[in-house]
Amino acid sequence: MKMLKIGLIGYPLKNSLSPEIFKIFSELTGFKISYSLHETREKDLAHTLKRLRSAGWTGVNVTLPLKEAITGFLTASDQAVFSVKAANTLKFDKNGMAGINTDTRALSDTFREKKFTVKGKTAVVWGAGGAAKAALWFLAGNKAGEISLHNRDTKKARALAAEFSALFPKVVFKVRRFTEKSEKADIFINATPVGMYAYGRINAIFNRKAAYCDLAYLGDETGFLRSARMACAKTIIDGKEILVYQAARSLEFWTNKHIAEIVKFKRETMKRLTIQDSGSKI
Ligand code: NAP
């Protein structure tokens, strides 16, 4: 079998878990995978892509700060990338480069696994960056009724809410300050680094019935998810689960092979993964 040459571009990359995740994927699937990290700043993006393509790479995962800039190089993309203008996975092909957003797919995967439906529900999202866009796409695309966006920079949040409101006119969007106590809701998603490598507090309302999803993650549990667990919340989604699902969706995209039992695949990967805390706990 031909070696799959893939990796990650962005800056900085030193704490990336992706090499370990893809090593486990290689053990689980039998694919021969060479996964390496290429620290790339935006000004060097065109050059890096050209170099990797000519070295026979299949594709790359893309992280901060390149998720938006990469869309300018794509010749094909899925609807999420086209609408939110952010991609995190690309594949080189004979026509150019195709891009997808596996964060949005991973959110769908985790909520589906936990059997938590979004239709008609109210949601609160903290953040207005790339991860928040993925969360909004997932929530609005699954017909959430109302979404409140909490962010430090409320101007940025308002612009994002307006953008999504135009895409999903039936969903009600509200904007709040980051520190403001959230309203009661069915779904709470943290899409900021708070609890991981940034200080702060996710000011949610905790109860048994709501779903709590933290895109930030630690080796252990984040403070946000600990509070949810202490409130006996039944649906808790750890950022590590999203991380593994989005990587699995990238592998599918590069190999054109469907991972039929993706839930089992994710669970087995999580069992084998060792995560060192790279940031602070709240
Ligand atoms: P980003 O585009 O840089 O956006 C960061 C967002 O977090 C902004 O809205 C920013 O607010 C907010 N923020 C940053 N520091 C903060 C602080 N100290 N207090 C309050 N808000 C703060 O980053 P991103 O791509 O959206 O990623 C956000 C987080 O999600 C990161 O921790 C990333 O690791 C995580 N993530 C995880 C996965 C996964 O697979 N688990 C996938 C994607 C992202 P302002 O706009 O006010 O500056």
Side-chain angles (χ1 to χ4, degrees), residues 64 67 103 127-131 151-153 156 178 191-194 196-199 215 217 239 242-243 246:
L64 294 174
K67 287 184 182 182
D103 289 339
N151 201 44
R152 289 184 308 194
D153 181 345
K156 189 164 139 194
F178 182 82
T192 76
V194 166
M196 190 175 175
Y197 51 80
Y199 285 102
L215 284 157
Y217 55 86
I242 310 266
L243 185 72
Q246 61 86 18

Side-chain angles (χ1 to χ4, degrees), residues 27-250:
E27 291 161 8
L28 291 176
T29 60
F31 286 126
K32 288 185 190 154
I33 298 175
S34 145
Y35 194 99
S36 51
L37 305 177
H38 283 258
E39 288 202 325
T40 306
R41 295 177 196 259
E42 195 171 334
K43 66 178 174 44
D44 303 319
L45 183 54
H47 176 69
T48 301
L49 293 173
K50 201 170 161 196
R51 196 160 50 84
L52 298 178
R53 173 194 278 284
S54 48
W57 279 46
T58 300
V60 281
N61 287 129
V62 182
T63 188
L64 294 174
L66 306 175
K67 287 184 182 182
E68 291 182 2
I70 198 76
T71 58
F73 294 83
L74 302 178
T75 44
S77 67
D78 66 8
Q79 191 59 39
V81 170
F82 182 75
S83 301
V84 306
K85 296 171 194 68
N88 69 345
T89 305
L90 82 78
K91 180 159 69 175
F92 297 111
D93 59 31
K94 61 179 186 317
N95 302 316
M97 290 173 224
I100 59 170
N101 190 316
T102 60
D103 289 339
T104 54
R105 296 176 188 209
L107 278 160
S108 298
D109 288 332
T110 47
F111 275 78
R112 193 179 313 113
E113 179 190 345
K114 316 275 171 182
K115 299 187 171 51
F116 197 99
T117 55
V118 171
K119 193 172 177 189
K121 304 263 170 77
T122 52
V124 179
V125 175
W126 286 268
K133 279 185 182 178
L136 293 189
W137 179 264
F138 160 70
L139 291 166
N142 283 288
K143 301 189 169 65
E146 185 180 295
I147 305 171
S148 298
L149 207 50
H150 287 238
N151 201 44
R152 289 184 308 194
D153 181 345
T154 46
K155 206 171 147 200
K156 189 164 139 194
R158 268 196 296 276
L160 191 59
E163 197 183 305
F164 270 82
S165 190
L167 289 169
F168 299 97
K170 287 189 180 157
V171 182
V172 176
F173 291 90
K174 295 177 176 176
V175 172
R176 303 279 182 253
R177 281 178 291 114
F178 182 82
T179 47
E180 204 172 315
K181 178 104 179 153
S182 80
E183 290 171 26
K184 222 172 147 220
D186 304 303
I187 300 166
F188 298 87
I189 300 181
N190 174 32
T192 76
V194 166
M196 190 175 175
Y197 51 80
Y199 285 102
R201 193 161 81 92
I202 302 303
N203 209 351
I205 292 180
F206 295 97
N207 63 55
R208 278 187 72 239
K209 281 166 84 180
Y212 298 86
C213 169
D214 202 346
L215 284 157
Y217 55 86
L218 295 169
D220 195 359
E221 196 172 47
T222 59
F224 173 48
L225 294 190
R226 194 175 322 119
S227 300
R229 191 169 45 79
M230 284 168 76
C232 300
K234 282 197 295 191
T235 308
I236 293 181
I237 297 170
D238 192 306
K240 297 187 282 290
E241 298 176 72
I242 310 266
L243 185 72
V244 174
Y245 266 132
Q246 61 86 18
R249 292 299 181 193
S250 301

Side-chain angles (χ1 to χ4, degrees), residues 6 23 197:
I6 49 178
K23 187 167 168 285
Y197 51 80

